[in-house]
C-alpha cells in the first residue's frame, strides 16, 4: 500500500511540475523573446552539468539511509558517512560555483551566440544562474536523506510548491516589475535560496527524530567504508558518464547554433521531456523499495516488482510517445499558438520522443544493479555508450545541426535496448527474456495500433477547425492508444474478463 501511495503522489507531483514547466514556456517566449528563452534553456543545461559534482554522493546516501532505516547499518557508521559526504559535496559546490563566476564573461563572449540581448545583462544572468544552481545541487544531498527515509509524499508536495513558485509566480512578479531576463533570474535565485533552506531544516529535523540511540562503544562496521567507497566510485563515475551521454548534444549545439536556433532545438527537447514525467517518479520510489527487498532477501518479490513497474511504465510511455509522434505539428501549434514554429521543431521532437522512450526502458537496468549494490556493469556500460555517443554526436551536430543530434540520440538508445539492456537483465533476473519480450510487445503493439489509427482518422483533420476540437482529438487518440497498451497486460485482461462475467 505504501508503494502505491508513494508512486501515485510522485506521479501527481511530476505530472504537475512537468506540465507547468511546459505550459508556461510559450509565455516566456512571448514576453521575453526567443534569445532570452535560449538563455533559460542554457540555465536548464547547466543544471544538468552541475550534477557532475554529485560523483555518486547523493545516490550512495540514499542507499545507506535505506539500510540505516531498516536496521542494517548502525548509527555511528551512518553519521560518519553522512558528515563525510556533506563536507565533500559542500567543498565541490563552492569550488565549482567560484570557478564559473570567474569564467562568466568568457562564456558570454566566446560560447553563447548573442545578437539582441545586452551583454552586461547576460553576464549578470550567468552569475546569478551559477549561484542558484549551486544551491539546488547542494540541496540534492538533503533530498537524498529524505528519499532514503521514503518521505516521498513530503518531497512530492514540496516539489509542487517550489515549481509553482519557480515557473508560475515569476510571471506576475515580472508583470509588476519588468519583463526582462535579468528580473527572471533574480527571482530564480530567491526561490533557490528558499528551497535550499527548507530542505536543510527538514532533513536535519528528520535525522534528529529518527536517530537511533547508539552505544558509546559503537565502531564502523568491518569492511563498511571499503564497500561504500567502491559503490560511491562506480556510482559517481557512472553519473558523470551519464551526464556526458544525456547532455552532450545540448552542450555542443549551445556553442554552435545562434541562440535563437538553439531555443528551437531546446523547445523540441523540452516537449520530448514530457515523457520523463512517467519515469522520474518511478526512480524515486523504486530505488529505495528494491534496495529494501534485496536487503531482506525477498528476491522473488524483487523480481516481480521490477517486472510489474517496467510493464506499467511501458504502457504509459507508449501512449504518450505514439500520440506525440503522429500528432507533433498539432501539439506544437496548440502549445505555442504559433504555426510557424512547427517546421523548426516537429521532426526533432518525434526523434527525441522515440529516443527518450528507449532511454527510460534502458534505465531499468540501473535500478536492479543499484538494488544489488553491483553497479560496475552500469559504469562500464556508460563508458561504452559515451565512446559511441560523443564522436557520433559531434559529427552529426557539426554537419546536420539539431536534426543530426536527434537521429544519433534515437539510434543509439534503440541499439542499447536490444544489446546492453538484454545482457544486464540476464545477469540479475530470473526470467530476463520474459521481461524484454513483455516490454517490447507493448511498444510494438502500440506502434502498430497508433499507425492504423492515425491513417484511419486522417480524413478528420480538415474538420478540426479550432483548438478545442484539436485538443479533444488528441485526448481521444491518446486514450485509445493507452487502452490498446493496457490490453497487453495480463492483470488488465483478467480484470476485463471478471467485469464481463459480472456483467452477465
Amino acid at each position: 500500500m505504501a508503494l502505491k501511495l508513494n508512486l501515485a503522489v510522485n506521479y501527481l507531483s511530476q505530472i504537475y511540475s512537468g506540465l507547468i514547466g511546459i505550459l508556461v514556456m510559450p509565455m516566456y517566449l512571448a514576453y521575453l523573446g526567443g534569445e532570452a528563452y535560449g538563455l533559460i534553456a542554457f540555465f536548464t543545461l547547466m543544471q544538468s552539468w552541475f550534477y557532475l559534482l554529485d560523483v555518486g554522493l547523493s545516490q550512495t546516501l540514499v542507499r545507506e539511509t535505506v539500510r540505516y532505516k531498516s536496521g542494517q547499518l548502525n548509527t555511528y557508521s551512518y553519521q560518519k558517512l553522512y558528515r563525510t559526504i556533506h563536507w565533500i559535496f559542500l567543498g565541490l559546490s563552492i569550488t565549482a560555483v567560484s570557478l564559473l563566476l570567474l569564467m562568466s564573461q568568457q562564456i558570454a563572449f566566446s560560447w553563447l551566440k548573442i545578437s539582441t540581448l545586452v551583454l552586461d545583462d547576460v553576464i549578470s544572468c550567468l552569475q546569478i544562474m551559477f549561484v542558484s544552481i549551486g544551491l539546488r545541487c547542494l540541496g540534492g544531498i538533503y533530498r537524498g536523506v529524505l528519499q532514503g527515509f521514503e518521505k516521498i509524499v513530503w518531497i512530492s508536495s514540496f516539489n509542487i510548491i517550489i515549481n509553482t513558485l519557480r515557473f508560475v509566480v515569476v510571471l506576475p512578479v515580472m508583470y509588476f516589475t519588468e519583463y526582462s531576463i535579468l528580473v527572471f533570474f533574480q527571482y530564480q535565485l530567491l526561490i533557490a535560496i528558499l528551497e535550499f533552506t527548507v530542505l536543510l531544516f527538514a532533513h536535519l529535523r528528520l535525522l534528529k527524530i529518527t536517530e537511533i540511540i547508539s552505544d558509546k562503544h559503537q565502531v564502523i562496521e568491518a569492511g563498511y567504508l571499503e564497500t561504500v567507497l567502491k559503490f560511491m566510485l562506480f556510482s559517481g563515475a557512472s553519473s558523470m558518464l551519464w551526464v556526458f551521454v544525456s547532455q552532450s548534444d545540448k552542450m555542443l549545439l549551445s556553442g554552435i547554433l545562434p541562440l535563437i536556433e538553439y531555443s528551437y532545438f531546446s523547445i523540441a527537447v523540452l516537449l520530448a521531456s514530457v515523457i520523463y514525467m512517467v519515469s522520474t517518479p518511478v526512480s524515486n520510489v523504486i530505488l529505495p523499495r528494491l534496495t529494501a527487498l534485496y536487503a531482506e532477501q525477498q528476491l522473488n518479490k524483487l523480481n516481480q516488482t521490477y517486472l510489474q513497474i517496467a510493464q506499467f511504465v511501458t504502457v504509459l510511455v507508449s501512449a504518450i510517445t505514439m500520440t506525440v509522434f503522429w500528432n507533433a505539428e498539432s501539439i506544437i501549434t496548440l502549445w505555442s499558438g504559433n504555426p510557424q514554429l512547427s517546421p523548426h521543431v516537429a521532426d526533432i521532437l518525434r526523434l527525441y520522443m522515440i529516443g527518450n522512450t528507449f532511454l527510460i526502458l534502458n534505465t531499468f537496468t540501473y535500478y536492479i544493479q543499484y538494488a544489488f549494490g553491483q553497479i560496475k556493469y552500469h559504469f562500464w556500460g556508460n563508458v561504452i555508450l559515451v565512446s559511441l555517443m560523443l564522436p557520433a554526436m559531434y559529427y552529426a551536430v557539426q554537419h546536420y545541426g539539431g536534426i543530426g543530434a536527434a537521429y544519433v540520440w534515437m539510434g543509439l538508445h534503440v541499439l542499447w535496448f536490444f544489446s546492453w539492456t538484454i545482457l544486464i537483465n540476464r545477469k540479475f533476473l530470473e526470467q530476463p527474456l520474459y521481461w524484454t519480450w513483455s516490454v517490447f510487445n507493448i511498444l510494438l503493439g502500440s506502434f502498430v495500433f497508433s499507425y492504423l489509427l492515425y491513417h484511419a482518422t486522417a480524413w478528420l483533420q480538415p474538420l478540426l477547425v479550432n483548438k478545442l476540437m484539436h485538443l479533444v482529438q488528441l485526448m481521444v487518440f491518446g486514450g485509445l492508444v493507452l487502452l490498446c497498451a493496457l490490453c497487453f497486460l495480463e492483470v488488465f485482461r483478467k480484470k476485463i474478463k471478471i467485469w464481463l462475467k459480472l456483467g452477465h
Side-chain angles (χ1 to χ4, degrees), residues 161-187:
I161 295 171
I162 286 296
N163 285 314
T164 301
L165 293 173
R166 180 176 292 122
F167 293 120
V168 180
V169 179
V170 66
L171 292 169
V173 168
M174 288 192 292
Y175 175 81
F176 287 109
T177 54
E178 179 186 6
Y179 284 112
S180 74
I181 193 63
L182 188 57
V183 170
F184 175 88
F185 278 108
Q186 288 171 341
Y187 176 80

PDB file of all heavy atoms in Angstrom, residues 161-187:
ATOM      1  N   ILE A 161       4.997  22.871  -4.675  1.00  0.00           N
ATOM      2  CA  ILE A 161       5.045  24.261  -4.201  1.00  0.00           C
ATOM      3  C   ILE A 161       6.199  25.012  -4.852  1.00  0.00           C
ATOM      4  O   ILE A 161       6.031  26.129  -5.376  1.00  0.00           O
ATOM      5  CB  ILE A 161       5.181  24.296  -2.666  1.00  0.00           C
ATOM      6  CG1 ILE A 161       3.929  23.704  -2.007  1.00  0.00           C
ATOM      7  CG2 ILE A 161       5.412  25.723  -2.175  1.00  0.00           C
ATOM      8  CD1 ILE A 161       4.058  23.492  -0.511  1.00  0.00           C
ATOM      9  N   ILE A 162       7.386  24.412  -4.842  1.00  0.00           N
ATOM     10  CA  ILE A 162       8.569  25.090  -5.378  1.00  0.00           C
ATOM     11  C   ILE A 162       8.433  25.341  -6.876  1.00  0.00           C
ATOM     12  O   ILE A 162       8.762  26.432  -7.381  1.00  0.00           O
ATOM     13  CB  ILE A 162       9.841  24.264  -5.080  1.00  0.00           C
ATOM     14  CG1 ILE A 162      10.199  24.375  -3.602  1.00  0.00           C
ATOM     15  CG2 ILE A 162      11.019  24.729  -5.931  1.00  0.00           C
ATOM     16  CD1 ILE A 162      10.577  25.785  -3.140  1.00  0.00           C
ATOM     17  N   ASN A 163       7.927  24.361  -7.613  1.00  0.00           N
ATOM     18  CA  ASN A 163       7.798  24.535  -9.058  1.00  0.00           C
ATOM     19  C   ASN A 163       6.706  25.537  -9.417  1.00  0.00           C
ATOM     20  O   ASN A 163       6.799  26.216 -10.450  1.00  0.00           O
ATOM     21  CB  ASN A 163       7.547  23.188  -9.731  1.00  0.00           C
ATOM     22  CG  ASN A 163       8.805  22.339  -9.793  1.00  0.00           C
ATOM     23  OD1 ASN A 163       9.873  22.833 -10.150  1.00  0.00           O
ATOM     24  ND2 ASN A 163       8.702  21.065  -9.444  1.00  0.00           N
ATOM     25  N   THR A 164       5.686  25.626  -8.582  1.00  0.00           N
ATOM     26  CA  THR A 164       4.682  26.671  -8.795  1.00  0.00           C
ATOM     27  C   THR A 164       5.318  28.048  -8.623  1.00  0.00           C
ATOM     28  O   THR A 164       5.099  28.967  -9.433  1.00  0.00           O
ATOM     29  CB  THR A 164       3.510  26.509  -7.811  1.00  0.00           C
ATOM     30  OG1 THR A 164       2.912  25.229  -7.995  1.00  0.00           O
ATOM     31  CG2 THR A 164       2.464  27.587  -8.037  1.00  0.00           C
ATOM     32  N   LEU A 165       6.113  28.200  -7.574  1.00  0.00           N
ATOM     33  CA  LEU A 165       6.810  29.466  -7.362  1.00  0.00           C
ATOM     34  C   LEU A 165       7.790  29.752  -8.492  1.00  0.00           C
ATOM     35  O   LEU A 165       7.901  30.890  -8.976  1.00  0.00           O
ATOM     36  CB  LEU A 165       7.563  29.425  -6.025  1.00  0.00           C
ATOM     37  CG  LEU A 165       6.707  29.377  -4.765  1.00  0.00           C
ATOM     38  CD1 LEU A 165       7.579  29.163  -3.535  1.00  0.00           C
ATOM     39  CD2 LEU A 165       5.898  30.661  -4.608  1.00  0.00           C
ATOM     40  N   ARG A 166       8.502  28.700  -8.934  1.00  0.00           N
ATOM     41  CA  ARG A 166       9.564  28.887  -9.924  1.00  0.00           C
ATOM     42  C   ARG A 166       9.020  29.230 -11.312  1.00  0.00           C
ATOM     43  O   ARG A 166       9.511  30.143 -11.973  1.00  0.00           O
ATOM     44  CB  ARG A 166      10.422  27.625 -10.000  1.00  0.00           C
ATOM     45  CG  ARG A 166      11.560  27.700 -11.010  1.00  0.00           C
ATOM     46  CD  ARG A 166      12.420  26.457 -10.971  1.00  0.00           C
ATOM     47  NE  ARG A 166      13.157  26.384  -9.717  1.00  0.00           N
ATOM     48  CZ  ARG A 166      13.093  25.388  -8.850  1.00  0.00           C
ATOM     49  NH1 ARG A 166      12.322  24.349  -9.098  1.00  0.00           N
ATOM     50  NH2 ARG A 166      13.801  25.402  -7.748  1.00  0.00           N
ATOM     51  N   PHE A 167       7.981  28.517 -11.747  1.00  0.00           N
ATOM     52  CA  PHE A 167       7.518  28.664 -13.126  1.00  0.00           C
ATOM     53  C   PHE A 167       6.327  29.601 -13.292  1.00  0.00           C
ATOM     54  O   PHE A 167       6.214  30.282 -14.308  1.00  0.00           O
ATOM     55  CB  PHE A 167       7.132  27.287 -13.697  1.00  0.00           C
ATOM     56  CG  PHE A 167       8.299  26.357 -13.858  1.00  0.00           C
ATOM     57  CD1 PHE A 167       8.324  25.151 -13.182  1.00  0.00           C
ATOM     58  CD2 PHE A 167       9.366  26.684 -14.677  1.00  0.00           C
ATOM     59  CE1 PHE A 167       9.387  24.276 -13.328  1.00  0.00           C
ATOM     60  CE2 PHE A 167      10.447  25.822 -14.831  1.00  0.00           C
ATOM     61  CZ  PHE A 167      10.454  24.618 -14.147  1.00  0.00           C
ATOM     62  N   VAL A 168       5.416  29.611 -12.299  1.00  0.00           N
ATOM     63  CA  VAL A 168       4.158  30.344 -12.455  1.00  0.00           C
ATOM     64  C   VAL A 168       4.217  31.725 -11.807  1.00  0.00           C
ATOM     65  O   VAL A 168       3.906  32.739 -12.443  1.00  0.00           O
ATOM     66  CB  VAL A 168       2.982  29.533 -11.867  1.00  0.00           C
ATOM     67  CG1 VAL A 168       1.677  30.299 -12.028  1.00  0.00           C
ATOM     68  CG2 VAL A 168       2.884  28.176 -12.551  1.00  0.00           C
ATOM     69  N   VAL A 169       4.612  31.775 -10.543  1.00  0.00           N
ATOM     70  CA  VAL A 169       4.582  33.042  -9.806  1.00  0.00           C
ATOM     71  C   VAL A 169       5.553  34.057 -10.392  1.00  0.00           C
ATOM     72  O   VAL A 169       5.381  35.265 -10.232  1.00  0.00           O
ATOM     73  CB  VAL A 169       4.877  32.788  -8.306  1.00  0.00           C
ATOM     74  CG1 VAL A 169       4.878  34.087  -7.522  1.00  0.00           C
ATOM     75  CG2 VAL A 169       3.836  31.834  -7.727  1.00  0.00           C
ATOM     76  N   VAL A 170       6.573  33.578 -11.114  1.00  0.00           N
ATOM     77  CA  VAL A 170       7.512  34.503 -11.753  1.00  0.00           C
ATOM     78  C   VAL A 170       6.808  35.415 -12.759  1.00  0.00           C
ATOM     79  O   VAL A 170       7.239  36.558 -12.978  1.00  0.00           O
ATOM     80  CB  VAL A 170       8.660  33.718 -12.445  1.00  0.00           C
ATOM     81  CG1 VAL A 170       8.143  32.896 -13.617  1.00  0.00           C
ATOM     82  CG2 VAL A 170       9.767  34.655 -12.902  1.00  0.00           C
ATOM     83  N   LEU A 171       5.718  34.954 -13.356  1.00  0.00           N
ATOM     84  CA  LEU A 171       5.014  35.768 -14.364  1.00  0.00           C
ATOM     85  C   LEU A 171       4.376  37.021 -13.750  1.00  0.00           C
ATOM     86  O   LEU A 171       4.615  38.133 -14.249  1.00  0.00           O
ATOM     87  CB  LEU A 171       3.974  34.913 -15.088  1.00  0.00           C
ATOM     88  CG  LEU A 171       4.560  33.818 -15.992  1.00  0.00           C
ATOM     89  CD1 LEU A 171       3.470  32.863 -16.448  1.00  0.00           C
ATOM     90  CD2 LEU A 171       5.267  34.441 -17.187  1.00  0.00           C
ATOM     91  N   PRO A 172       3.595  36.911 -12.658  1.00  0.00           N
ATOM     92  CA  PRO A 172       3.095  38.151 -12.038  1.00  0.00           C
ATOM     93  C   PRO A 172       4.209  39.007 -11.440  1.00  0.00           C
ATOM     94  O   PRO A 172       4.089  40.236 -11.404  1.00  0.00           O
ATOM     95  CB  PRO A 172       2.126  37.663 -10.957  1.00  0.00           C
ATOM     96  CG  PRO A 172       2.438  36.225 -10.753  1.00  0.00           C
ATOM     97  CD  PRO A 172       2.954  35.724 -12.056  1.00  0.00           C
ATOM     98  N   VAL A 173       5.289  38.380 -10.969  1.00  0.00           N
ATOM     99  CA  VAL A 173       6.426  39.157 -10.460  1.00  0.00           C
ATOM    100  C   VAL A 173       6.989  40.037 -11.567  1.00  0.00           C
ATOM    101  O   VAL A 173       7.253  41.233 -11.366  1.00  0.00           O
ATOM    102  CB  VAL A 173       7.511  38.219  -9.894  1.00  0.00           C
ATOM    103  CG1 VAL A 173       8.810  39.000  -9.634  1.00  0.00           C
ATOM    104  CG2 VAL A 173       7.035  37.570  -8.601  1.00  0.00           C
ATOM    105  N   MET A 174       7.185  39.467 -12.752  1.00  0.00           N
ATOM    106  CA  MET A 174       7.700  40.269 -13.867  1.00  0.00           C
ATOM    107  C   MET A 174       6.665  41.293 -14.336  1.00  0.00           C
ATOM    108  O   MET A 174       7.020  42.389 -14.784  1.00  0.00           O
ATOM    109  CB  MET A 174       8.109  39.352 -15.033  1.00  0.00           C
ATOM    110  CG  MET A 174       9.375  38.556 -14.760  1.00  0.00           C
ATOM    111  SD  MET A 174      10.063  37.740 -16.249  1.00  0.00           S
ATOM    112  CE  MET A 174       8.774  36.512 -16.549  1.00  0.00           C
ATOM    113  N   TYR A 175       5.370  40.932 -14.230  1.00  0.00           N
ATOM    114  CA  TYR A 175       4.320  41.874 -14.639  1.00  0.00           C
ATOM    115  C   TYR A 175       4.365  43.151 -13.791  1.00  0.00           C
ATOM    116  O   TYR A 175       4.210  44.265 -14.298  1.00  0.00           O
ATOM    117  CB  TYR A 175       2.953  41.198 -14.515  1.00  0.00           C
ATOM    118  CG  TYR A 175       1.780  42.105 -14.796  1.00  0.00           C
ATOM    119  CD1 TYR A 175       1.380  42.387 -16.103  1.00  0.00           C
ATOM    120  CD2 TYR A 175       1.068  42.694 -13.739  1.00  0.00           C
ATOM    121  CE1 TYR A 175       0.313  43.220 -16.360  1.00  0.00           C
ATOM    122  CE2 TYR A 175      -0.014  43.533 -13.989  1.00  0.00           C
ATOM    123  CZ  TYR A 175      -0.384  43.791 -15.302  1.00  0.00           C
ATOM    124  OH  TYR A 175      -1.442  44.628 -15.552  1.00  0.00           O
ATOM    125  N   PHE A 176       4.582  42.997 -12.468  1.00  0.00           N
ATOM    126  CA  PHE A 176       4.592  44.153 -11.575  1.00  0.00           C
ATOM    127  C   PHE A 176       5.968  44.833 -11.495  1.00  0.00           C
ATOM    128  O   PHE A 176       6.084  45.907 -10.886  1.00  0.00           O
ATOM    129  CB  PHE A 176       4.140  43.743 -10.166  1.00  0.00           C
ATOM    130  CG  PHE A 176       2.672  43.458 -10.078  1.00  0.00           C
ATOM    131  CD1 PHE A 176       2.210  42.158  -9.910  1.00  0.00           C
ATOM    132  CD2 PHE A 176       1.738  44.491 -10.167  1.00  0.00           C
ATOM    133  CE1 PHE A 176       0.846  41.892  -9.820  1.00  0.00           C
ATOM    134  CE2 PHE A 176       0.378  44.234 -10.073  1.00  0.00           C
ATOM    135  CZ  PHE A 176      -0.078  42.921  -9.916  1.00  0.00           C
ATOM    136  N   THR A 177       6.976  44.225 -12.072  1.00  0.00           N
ATOM    137  CA  THR A 177       8.310  44.848 -12.081  1.00  0.00           C
ATOM    138  C   THR A 177       8.724  45.175 -13.513  1.00  0.00           C
ATOM    139  O   THR A 177       8.556  46.294 -13.978  1.00  0.00           O
ATOM    140  CB  THR A 177       9.349  43.928 -11.416  1.00  0.00           C
ATOM    141  OG1 THR A 177       9.311  42.629 -12.040  1.00  0.00           O
ATOM    142  CG2 THR A 177       9.071  43.768  -9.932  1.00  0.00           C
ATOM    143  N   GLU A 178       9.219  44.150 -14.226  1.00  0.00           N
ATOM    144  CA  GLU A 178       9.672  44.363 -15.597  1.00  0.00           C
ATOM    145  C   GLU A 178       9.830  43.007 -16.290  1.00  0.00           C
ATOM    146  O   GLU A 178      10.358  42.061 -15.701  1.00  0.00           O
ATOM    147  CB  GLU A 178      11.022  45.091 -15.606  1.00  0.00           C
ATOM    148  CG  GLU A 178      11.578  45.327 -16.993  1.00  0.00           C
ATOM    149  CD  GLU A 178      12.985  45.910 -16.961  1.00  0.00           C
ATOM    150  OE1 GLU A 178      13.547  46.019 -15.848  1.00  0.00           O
ATOM    151  OE2 GLU A 178      13.501  46.233 -18.048  1.00  0.00           O
ATOM    152  N   TYR A 179       9.357  42.927 -17.527  1.00  0.00           N
ATOM    153  CA  TYR A 179       9.561  41.713 -18.310  1.00  0.00           C
ATOM    154  C   TYR A 179      10.969  41.713 -18.887  1.00  0.00           C
ATOM    155  O   TYR A 179      11.199  42.150 -20.015  1.00  0.00           O
ATOM    156  CB  TYR A 179       8.528  41.604 -19.434  1.00  0.00           C
ATOM    157  CG  TYR A 179       7.158  41.184 -18.975  1.00  0.00           C
ATOM    158  CD1 TYR A 179       6.083  42.068 -19.030  1.00  0.00           C
ATOM    159  CD2 TYR A 179       6.935  39.904 -18.476  1.00  0.00           C
ATOM    160  CE1 TYR A 179       4.816  41.674 -18.605  1.00  0.00           C
ATOM    161  CE2 TYR A 179       5.676  39.507 -18.047  1.00  0.00           C
ATOM    162  CZ  TYR A 179       4.622  40.404 -18.115  1.00  0.00           C
ATOM    163  OH  TYR A 179       3.375  40.014 -17.682  1.00  0.00           O
ATOM    164  N   SER A 180      11.900  41.239 -18.084  1.00  0.00           N
ATOM    165  CA  SER A 180      13.297  41.180 -18.529  1.00  0.00           C
ATOM    166  C   SER A 180      13.920  39.888 -18.035  1.00  0.00           C
ATOM    167  O   SER A 180      13.521  39.346 -16.998  1.00  0.00           O
ATOM    168  CB  SER A 180      14.095  42.379 -18.016  1.00  0.00           C
ATOM    169  OG  SER A 180      14.369  42.250 -16.634  1.00  0.00           O
ATOM    170  N   ILE A 181      14.906  39.429 -18.752  1.00  0.00           N
ATOM    171  CA  ILE A 181      15.581  38.190 -18.393  1.00  0.00           C
ATOM    172  C   ILE A 181      16.341  38.338 -17.085  1.00  0.00           C
ATOM    173  O   ILE A 181      16.491  37.371 -16.326  1.00  0.00           O
ATOM    174  CB  ILE A 181      16.513  37.736 -19.539  1.00  0.00           C
ATOM    175  CG1 ILE A 181      16.981  36.295 -19.327  1.00  0.00           C
ATOM    176  CG2 ILE A 181      17.691  38.691 -19.695  1.00  0.00           C
ATOM    177  CD1 ILE A 181      15.899  35.274 -19.339  1.00  0.00           C
ATOM    178  N   LEU A 182      16.803  39.545 -16.779  1.00  0.00           N
ATOM    179  CA  LEU A 182      17.531  39.766 -15.533  1.00  0.00           C
ATOM    180  C   LEU A 182      16.607  39.610 -14.322  1.00  0.00           C
ATOM    181  O   LEU A 182      16.979  38.995 -13.320  1.00  0.00           O
ATOM    182  CB  LEU A 182      18.172  41.156 -15.544  1.00  0.00           C
ATOM    183  CG  LEU A 182      19.127  41.476 -14.383  1.00  0.00           C
ATOM    184  CD1 LEU A 182      20.252  40.453 -14.313  1.00  0.00           C
ATOM    185  CD2 LEU A 182      19.683  42.883 -14.518  1.00  0.00           C
ATOM    186  N   VAL A 183      15.396  40.168 -14.409  1.00  0.00           N
ATOM    187  CA  VAL A 183      14.418  40.021 -13.326  1.00  0.00           C
ATOM    188  C   VAL A 183      14.068  38.541 -13.154  1.00  0.00           C
ATOM    189  O   VAL A 183      13.934  38.047 -12.021  1.00  0.00           O
ATOM    190  CB  VAL A 183      13.155  40.852 -13.613  1.00  0.00           C
ATOM    191  CG1 VAL A 183      12.044  40.517 -12.611  1.00  0.00           C
ATOM    192  CG2 VAL A 183      13.472  42.336 -13.580  1.00  0.00           C
ATOM    193  N   PHE A 184      13.930  37.817 -14.259  1.00  0.00           N
ATOM    194  CA  PHE A 184      13.620  36.396 -14.205  1.00  0.00           C
ATOM    195  C   PHE A 184      14.656  35.643 -13.375  1.00  0.00           C
ATOM    196  O   PHE A 184      14.308  34.859 -12.488  1.00  0.00           O
ATOM    197  CB  PHE A 184      13.562  35.829 -15.628  1.00  0.00           C
ATOM    198  CG  PHE A 184      13.357  34.340 -15.686  1.00  0.00           C
ATOM    199  CD1 PHE A 184      12.085  33.801 -15.685  1.00  0.00           C
ATOM    200  CD2 PHE A 184      14.441  33.465 -15.732  1.00  0.00           C
ATOM    201  CE1 PHE A 184      11.881  32.427 -15.739  1.00  0.00           C
ATOM    202  CE2 PHE A 184      14.258  32.089 -15.780  1.00  0.00           C
ATOM    203  CZ  PHE A 184      12.970  31.572 -15.782  1.00  0.00           C
ATOM    204  N   PHE A 185      15.934  35.873 -13.640  1.00  0.00           N
ATOM    205  CA  PHE A 185      16.976  35.127 -12.937  1.00  0.00           C
ATOM    206  C   PHE A 185      17.161  35.612 -11.495  1.00  0.00           C
ATOM    207  O   PHE A 185      17.513  34.817 -10.618  1.00  0.00           O
ATOM    208  CB  PHE A 185      18.291  35.207 -13.708  1.00  0.00           C
ATOM    209  CG  PHE A 185      18.366  34.216 -14.837  1.00  0.00           C
ATOM    210  CD1 PHE A 185      18.284  34.634 -16.147  1.00  0.00           C
ATOM    211  CD2 PHE A 185      18.483  32.861 -14.577  1.00  0.00           C
ATOM    212  CE1 PHE A 185      18.325  33.717 -17.189  1.00  0.00           C
ATOM    213  CE2 PHE A 185      18.532  31.936 -15.615  1.00  0.00           C
ATOM    214  CZ  PHE A 185      18.449  32.372 -16.925  1.00  0.00           C
ATOM    215  N   GLN A 186      16.928  36.882 -11.221  1.00  0.00           N
ATOM    216  CA  GLN A 186      16.990  37.355  -9.841  1.00  0.00           C
ATOM    217  C   GLN A 186      15.926  36.663  -8.997  1.00  0.00           C
ATOM    218  O   GLN A 186      16.179  36.277  -7.853  1.00  0.00           O
ATOM    219  CB  GLN A 186      16.795  38.877  -9.814  1.00  0.00           C
ATOM    220  CG  GLN A 186      17.996  39.641 -10.353  1.00  0.00           C
ATOM    221  CD  GLN A 186      17.705  41.129 -10.528  1.00  0.00           C
ATOM    222  OE1 GLN A 186      16.543  41.553 -10.590  1.00  0.00           O
ATOM    223  NE2 GLN A 186      18.758  41.928 -10.618  1.00  0.00           N
ATOM    224  N   TYR A 187      14.746  36.503  -9.570  1.00  0.00           N
ATOM    225  CA  TYR A 187      13.668  35.797  -8.875  1.00  0.00           C
ATOM    226  C   TYR A 187      14.024  34.328  -8.672  1.00  0.00           C
ATOM    227  O   TYR A 187      13.768  33.752  -7.609  1.00  0.00           O
ATOM    228  CB  TYR A 187      12.372  35.935  -9.669  1.00  0.00           C
ATOM    229  CG  TYR A 187      11.218  35.160  -9.080  1.00  0.00           C
ATOM    230  CD1 TYR A 187      10.497  35.646  -7.998  1.00  0.00           C
ATOM    231  CD2 TYR A 187      10.860  33.928  -9.611  1.00  0.00           C
ATOM    232  CE1 TYR A 187       9.446  34.936  -7.458  1.00  0.00           C
ATOM    233  CE2 TYR A 187       9.804  33.205  -9.075  1.00  0.00           C
ATOM    234  CZ  TYR A 187       9.101  33.710  -7.997  1.00  0.00           C
ATOM    235  OH  TYR A 187       8.074  33.004  -7.453  1.00  0.00           O
TER     236      TYR A 187
END
